[in-house]
Amino acid sequence: MAGLAVAEVNDTNFEQEVLQSDQPVLVDFWAAWCGPCKALAPIVDEVASEYSGKLKVMKMDVDRNQATPMRYGIRGIPALLLFKGGKVADQIVGYVPKDTIARSIARVIG
């Protein structure tokens, strides 16, 4: 069950789940109406499985949560933000191939 590796995060628990995480966190900002978000979802699931134990992967619905996307200037989705030590370490906007995401993660987790 690869899908279980990706948890939902919201404005309320973002600080605790993402910013205070001792592991790097990849957050997928998405919305139900967004076609490219749906196309990216299986890739995000694969990444979650592959980096299990090294990277936390979470999703945030931008329609249900406005504060966090605003805080990080999310204008286009899908947007993937990589957090490390409570700060944005990298950002990928739009639908990208898996190797682009993998390269970004490699830079952040070393």
Side-chain angles (χ1 to χ4, degrees):
M1 300 288 286
L4 294 175
V6 182
E8 280 279 344
V9 64
N10 57 44
D11 284 341
T12 312
N13 64 6
F14 187 83
E15 175 93 18
Q16 185 187 353
E17 291 288 341
V18 178
L19 302 183
Q20 293 173 9
S21 172
D22 46 11
Q23 265 184 340
V25 186
L26 178 70
V27 182
D28 175 13
F29 291 89
W30 70 286
W33 48 264
C34 165
C37 298
K38 287 194 182 86
L40 191 64
I43 297 175
V44 172
D45 288 343
E46 280 175 35
V47 166
S49 303
E50 279 172 36
Y51 292 93
S52 179
K54 287 186 240 150
L55 179 74
K56 226 162 114 174
V57 179
M58 312 205 81
K59 294 172 99 73
M60 176 174 276
D61 184 334
V62 297
D63 286 339
R64 293 206 197 110
N65 304 279
Q66 265 98 40
T68 307
M70 270 180 66
R71 178 176 173 186
Y72 293 100
I74 305 294
R75 287 189 191 85
I77 53 171
L80 301 174
L81 264 61
L82 254 168
F83 290 86
K84 188 176 184 182
K87 295 185 173 58
V88 177
D90 209 351
Q91 185 169 356
I92 300 167
V93 180
Y95 176 84
V96 293
K98 189 172 158 191
D99 58 338
T100 304
I101 300 169
R103 276 199 301 275
S104 176
I105 292 168
R107 278 200 302 273
V108 173
I109 66 178

